[in-house]
Amino acid sequence: MEERNFVITGDIVHSKSPGELETLENGCLVCIGGKSAGLFPALPGEYRNLPQKDYGGKLVLPGLSDLHVHAPQFGFRALGMDLELLDWLNKNAFPEEAKFQDCEYAGLSYGMFVEALRRSPSCRAVIFATLHTPATVLLMEKLEEAGLVCFVGKLNMDRNCPPYLREESAAVSLSSTREWLEQSESKLKSANIRPILSPRFIPSCSDELLRGLAGLQKEYGRKRPLPLQSHLSENRQEIEWVKKLCPQSRTYAGAYSDFGLFGEAGPAIMAHCVWPEDEEIELIKKRGVFIAHCPQSNTNLSSGIAPVRRFLEAGLRLGLGTDVAGGVHLSVFRAMSDAIQVSKLRQALLAPEEKALGLEEAFYLGSAGGGAFFEQAGMGRSGSFDAGNDFDALVIDDMNPVSGLASPLHLSLRDRLERLVYLAADGNINAKYVRGLQVL
Ligand code: GUN
Ligand code: FE
């Protein structure tokens, strides 16, 4: 495809590793067939005839990944935040999610969410929808039209939720999940949007439903990976509840594992992990399960501070989630600064031996760290400009006075990145490319 072969010039920053940025002032990025052919201080002769897009003086960064966000909760973000998780679900989340029975309302709300995501720094997202199949397919179609790369999950929930937002039985939940998997296969035109199994969390799903989902993951995963997402160890009351619901399991993570839902039959991603036991960390590592760290949500819902330094030292796979509407901001730049800030509080108040995150580490988590989930789940590597990665890029005109980001100081590229992170740039994206196609 010719439009996916081009050169971009600008001030380029990306991660080499969790501790190391690579910066290139007035450098070149080459996109061939939607994939990066690498970054170069000067354009190699072989690419001289490609179309060039000059973003001189602007920052060019890899696209970010939001590993955990609830699309139907976008409408009530920043409302009713004076509650902890279980009350917040009952009072805010469940009544709003019930409205997605109505496709007209779903179209309105999802339209706003998708447009905000398109304008955000995220090129990729792992998304919870609701239990409603038609509204979930509608969301997938809108995301496809916007050109983003996403995993989207129709929720499963058949117990401990209000009658107006509960699937009748495990059998009904499983058969509507099958129907949704078939529909997402037949209705979507591109390979950018894929389904992800989404049991809400253990309290919302019967044993029979959880076992059935493990079977579905195995069955559908024979053709191509079918990943799974859920919530793990977010809130202390929730954890106590799970102990009562699964008395035979050693831990919360162990309960998912006992049902076969912890990386056995395909990639898995768990949001939060605020209160992990040592053996849960070991199990997460052994199974290659991804953690979506959601610092703003964990603050808003008074859940706690996840031990991210321990996760990194244990070599776990980790990225950032906005968790809208537990979190209120859709910007992964904001998730980076939140991650740094809560880690500073954790070090100061709780665990002096757990060193706070630095800028390089937080940027890595929001870009290459989260991007690695997409590779594991068969959607291409992203999050840096290494040759062979999908070409996902952001262009930000941070020095333009109208950006609200300009400064009279003489700044290095690292300085400019630090300001984007701490100022939580969101609506300031001037251009955005996903798999080599311009979506903004
Ligand atoms: N645990 C189960 N459901 C949810 C949800 O919608 N948001 C958050 N933050 N945690 C959950
Ligand atoms: Fe969540």
Side-chain angles (χ1 to χ4, degrees):
M1 272 180 281
E2 203 186 337
E3 78 265 36
R4 298 203 198 192
N5 297 336
F6 56 89
V7 176
I8 276 182
T9 52
D11 293 337
I12 303 163
V13 184
H14 75 157
S15 285
K16 292 295 284 177
S17 69
E20 193 191 350
L21 294 175
E22 181 173 28
T23 62
L24 200 53
E25 218 154 311
N26 204 16
C28 304
L29 280 174
V30 179
C31 176
I32 301 290
K35 291 192 184 289
S36 173
L39 64 170
F40 307 93
L43 189 63
E46 61 187 295
Y47 302 125
R48 226 182 16 233
N49 294 329
L50 292 180
Q52 294 201 16
K53 306 186 188 213
D54 181 7
Y55 293 117
K58 301 183 176 70
L59 272 179
V60 181
L61 306 175
L64 307 183
S65 287
D66 185 345
L67 288 194
H68 185 73
V69 56
H70 296 260
Q73 297 176 5
F74 185 69
F76 74 87
R77 73 197 185 290
L79 288 171
M81 300 307 290
D82 296 340
L83 296 166
E84 288 200 23
L85 176 66
L86 300 176
D87 290 334
W88 178 86
L89 285 173
N90 284 318
K91 295 220 172 78
N92 291 347
F94 293 159
E96 180 65 16
E97 289 188 20
K99 296 181 191 165
F100 289 73
Q101 167 85 19
D102 171 3
C103 276
E104 205 175 313
Y105 185 78
L108 178 69
S109 182
Y110 282 155
M112 293 175 182
F113 168 77
V114 171
E115 182 56 9
L117 191 66
R118 190 175 74 89
R119 293 182 177 280
S120 84
S122 297
C123 287
R124 298 180 180 228
V126 184
I127 301 174
F128 272 76
T130 64
L131 56 78
H132 310 101
T133 298
T136 303
V137 173
L138 186 65
L139 171 62
M140 295 170 99
E141 288 171 332
K142 285 183 184 294
L143 289 161
E144 179 169 67
E145 213 169 290
L148 305 170
V149 169
C150 299
F151 284 106
V152 180
K154 180 207 104 59
L155 262 64
N156 299 97
M157 40 200 293
D158 70 340
R159 70 170 176 185
N160 293 321
C161 28
Y164 63 79
L165 191 70
R166 178 189 301 164
E167 294 173 298
E168 243 170 77
S169 64
V172 167
S173 180
L174 290 167
S175 69
S176 60
T177 301
R178 273 184 190 281
E179 191 190 332
W180 162 67
L181 290 170
E182 305 296 338
Q183 281 191 24
S184 42
E185 204 66 62
S186 64
K187 291 205 172 170
L188 297 169
K189 294 177 261 327
S190 74
N192 282 8
I193 308 296
R194 299 284 308 152
I196 180 166
L197 293 178
S198 305
R200 177 164 216 132
F201 65 159
I202 283 190
S204 305
C205 301
S206 64
D207 294 4
E208 186 188 345
L209 175 53
L210 292 168
R211 266 186 228 109
L213 288 171
L216 278 188
Q217 193 182 22
K218 202 179 278 174
E219 179 188 328
Y220 280 81
R222 283 192 198 108
K223 270 192 277 177
R224 59 187 296 179
L226 175 59
L228 176 139
Q229 63 179 347
S230 197
H231 296 86
L232 174 62
S233 298
E234 175 178 4
N235 164 289
R236 283 196 275 200
Q237 273 176 298
E238 170 213 14
I239 295 166
E240 286 310 307
W241 194 12
V242 171
K243 277 191 188 140
K244 289 201 187 101
L245 291 167
C246 303
Q248 50 313 45
S249 296
R250 292 173 60 88
T251 60
Y252 195 158
Y256 282 117
S257 176
D258 292 342
F259 290 111
L261 296 171
F262 214 63
E264 294 92 335
I269 184 163
M270 292 284 155
H272 306 301
C273 306
V274 174
W275 301 100
E277 295 182 29
D278 290 347
E279 71 176 74
E280 288 183 291
I281 293 183
E282 277 163 36
L283 191 61
I284 291 168
K285 181 169 169 101
K286 190 165 128 202
R287 298 288 176 71
V289 169
F290 259 80
I291 296 175
H293 174 44
C294 305
Q296 186 173 112
S297 168
N298 298 157
T299 306
N300 284 334
L301 300 179
S302 306
S303 300
I305 306 175
V308 172
R309 175 60 60 198
R310 287 177 59 204
F311 297 157
L312 290 173
E313 283 174 355
L316 304 191
R317 315 192 78 183
L318 189 67
L320 298 176
T322 61
D323 195 25
V324 162
V328 305
H329 289 96
L330 206 52
S331 168
V332 173
F333 285 124
R334 175 66 193 245
M336 293 174 193
S337 54
D338 288 328
I340 296 170
Q341 288 167 351
V342 301
S343 76
K344 289 176 177 173
L345 292 177
R346 186 171 170 92
Q347 183 183 10
L349 301 174
L350 296 172
E353 70 288 0
E354 294 180 30
K355 194 167 157 284
L357 292 184
L359 172 72
E360 281 78 0
E361 290 170 314
F363 180 67
Y364 177 86
L365 293 181
S367 54
F373 177 73
F374 290 84
E375 182 186 24
Q376 190 192 41
M379 286 275 256
R381 192 144 49 91
S382 84
S384 87
F385 296 122
D386 290 348
N389 283 8
D390 283 356
F391 191 94
D392 292 359
L394 306 174
V395 179
I396 302 175
D397 192 6
D398 59 327
M399 288 299 127
N400 186 330
V402 302
S403 71
L405 298 166
S407 162
L409 303 178
H410 182 74
L411 301 171
S412 68
L413 294 194
R414 184 193 183 278
D415 292 337
R416 287 165 66 189
L417 179 71
E418 185 170 23
R419 291 177 79 256
L420 282 187
V421 168
Y422 274 90
L423 292 168
D426 197 354
N428 298 306
I429 315 299
N430 296 92
K432 177 159 148 178
Y433 295 82
V434 180
R435 291 181 160 170
L437 283 183
Q438 188 163 3
V439 302
L440 184 68

